[in-house]
Amino acid sequence: MNTPLLPGSTLGVLGGGQLGRMFVHAAQAMGYFTAVLDADPTSPAGLVSHHHIRTGYEDPAGLAELARVADAITTEFENVPAAALATLAGQRPVSPAASAVSVAQDRAREKAHFTACGVPCAPYAVIETAEQLAAVPPGLLPGILKTARLGYDGKGQVRVKTAAELAAAWDSVGRVPCVLEKMLPLALECSVIVARGADGAIVNLPVQRNLHRDGILAVTEVYEQNVPPALASQALAATKSVAEGLQYVGVLCVEFFVLHDGSLVVNEIAPRPHNSGHYSQNACDVSQFELQVRTLAGLPLTQPRQHSPAIMLNLLGDLWFAHGDTPQTPPWAEVLALPGTHLHLYGKRDAKRGRKMGHLNITAPTADAARATALQAAALLGIAAF
């Protein structure tokens, strides 16, 4: 694609979840038509798109229809089959490329890529056979056994302390290919989101400080000194190295662990916009979703500017069950009475425990003010303090 796709073109997305929905909203705000491929007739993105192709990701007719109506195509979910992206790339510009997504889909390949890029990760071992299981060095325990494929938000992960627990855990996941990572003493977690164009231009959002609960992102805090500046520079450089190594085009998130000794190790990548970047919708002049539109359409990339300190609270379906087994609407009016609160709900019809239903962005003139308001909102919603 040598010339940009200008507004009036149609941008397609594989996947109809909340990330697809927010991409669609960003594209439509800029004057693009949109097409979503997702089998669910009530998918959040499908409900708001100009076109909704209701087929599975590997359905030939559905892929052909998406290629017919869309001028360029992206994905909102890393577990979309890479083969589907490759098929579409034979007919339309596709970003990110199937080759990059396939690396993110396999933890063993992902770790190898980090090593090739000179980015440190936790000590690990690949376990695909009984022989590899038996050969695991004792120094990797205690550790976390992670399925090599199809794991996210803490799914497909088992903490193990001994060789016997490791063997039992591998049995419990069906003896599928796995990666065992040594458990490290964490001081904090952070992430970096970059956008890279087909011309190699790369821009970034500020480094995000994250808090996870039960393997799911709960809180993101973004303001000056949220992490030490030297650490932020190191994380940004590592993220750019990972993106360059993949010859990546699109929006990419890299998650990091910061250890008690102050060192940084990479955790994993997400080849798409990320939960930790949602604050950018209200705190930056260019959101991660506009960056996704720009990279897909081949538009110029400008360095985003964060104009307000921000905190993002993830809103899980548990909030609807704060008072029993019958779902009740959370107190949105009271929350929105707080200054600087911005509610984003994903249009999912049924609240379920553990299900991502939306997020709340809090912006303020200072970090202290944002934090104070965020803690008030958390208390109203029944979210644990942080």
Side-chain angles (χ1 to χ4, degrees):
M1 187 168 60
N2 297 320
T3 58
L5 292 172
L6 298 179
S9 305
T10 299
L11 303 181
V13 58
L14 280 170
Q18 63 263 21
L19 297 176
R21 181 185 179 97
M22 288 181 275
F23 165 79
V24 163
H25 282 153
Q28 291 173 347
M30 295 173 69
Y32 290 92
F33 296 95
T34 58
V36 169
L37 188 148
D38 191 291
D40 181 359
T42 62
S43 68
L47 289 173
V48 299
S49 182
H50 295 94
H51 306 276
H52 182 189
I53 301 164
R54 298 177 178 86
T55 69
Y57 300 135
E58 297 178 289
D59 180 78
L63 294 174
E65 177 66 7
L66 182 61
R68 186 187 71 79
V69 300
D71 298 297
I73 299 160
T74 189
T75 177
E76 62 116 35
F77 186 46
E78 60 264 44
N79 287 329
V80 165
L85 295 173
T87 296
L88 290 167
Q91 304 168 72
R92 289 286 185 265
V94 172
S95 64
S99 57
V101 173
S102 65
V103 171
Q105 290 177 342
D106 188 309
R107 291 187 189 277
R109 292 185 62 191
E110 188 179 59
K111 300 285 189 190
H113 179 68
F114 295 151
T115 302
C117 293
V119 177
C121 56
Y124 73 96
V126 176
I127 300 175
E128 297 177 332
T129 66
E131 290 75 21
Q132 288 175 320
L133 176 69
V136 167
L140 289 183
L141 296 170
I144 305 176
L145 184 72
K146 300 180 178 181
T147 55
R149 299 181 64 83
L150 300 178
Y152 63 97
D153 286 345
K155 297 178 176 67
Q157 301 186 15
V158 185
R159 297 190 175 210
V160 294
K161 297 179 181 178
T162 66
E165 288 184 6
L166 173 60
W170 194 44
D171 283 338
S172 74
V173 298
R175 296 197 166 204
V176 298
C178 288
V179 169
L180 174 69
E181 295 178 8
K182 181 179 176 63
M183 199 174 296
L184 300 173
L186 305 186
L188 59 96
E189 297 175 72
C190 64
S191 59
V192 180
I193 291 171
V194 296
R196 185 175 184 273
D199 60 356
I202 190 166
V203 299
N204 63 279
L205 292 174
V207 177
Q208 296 124 193
R209 179 169 179 154
N210 301 322
L211 170 65
H212 286 79
R213 291 172 173 155
D214 298 322
I216 301 176
L217 182 65
V219 182
T220 293
E221 301 179 70
V222 192
Y223 41 78
E224 287 188 14
Q225 304 291 327
N226 62 339
V227 298
L231 201 64
S233 296
Q234 185 183 350
L236 177 57
T239 301
K240 289 182 176 180
S241 178
V242 169
E244 295 286 357
L246 290 169
Q247 288 295 289
Y248 195 85
V249 177
V251 172
L252 176 75
C253 179
V254 181
E255 295 184 76
F256 297 91
F257 296 137
V258 181
L259 308 185
H260 282 299
D261 65 4
S263 60
L264 187 79
V265 296
V266 65
N267 176 27
E268 62 185 12
I269 62 176
R272 52 169 173 79
H274 191 260
N275 209 164
S276 64
H278 290 342
Y279 73 95
S280 63
Q281 293 170 301
N282 301 108
C284 298
D285 59 354
V286 181
S287 76
Q288 64 171 343
F289 299 103
E290 181 175 335
L291 290 174
Q292 188 181 21
V293 173
R294 287 184 178 226
T295 55
L296 182 60
L299 295 171
L301 295 177
T302 59
Q303 176 60 36
R305 177 180 62 85
Q306 184 180 0
H307 51 70
S308 302
I311 294 178
M312 187 280 301
L313 303 180
N314 205 9
L315 306 177
L316 301 182
D318 306 63
L319 304 184
W320 277 253
F321 298 92
H323 304 290
D325 293 333
T326 302
Q328 297 182 21
T329 301
W332 301 131
E334 295 171 62
V335 170
L336 292 173
L338 300 173
T341 52
H342 312 271
L343 180 63
H344 299 262
L345 294 179
Y346 302 150
K348 297 181 180 180
R349 294 191 172 183
D350 298 316
K352 297 179 182 178
R353 297 181 191 276
R355 190 182 198 190
K356 293 177 181 176
M357 298 297 293
H359 62 272
L360 183 73
N361 289 334
I362 298 98
T363 58
T366 67
D368 286 344
R371 186 173 179 82
T373 301
L375 288 170
Q376 285 182 274
L380 286 170
L381 291 168
I383 296 173
F386 50 90

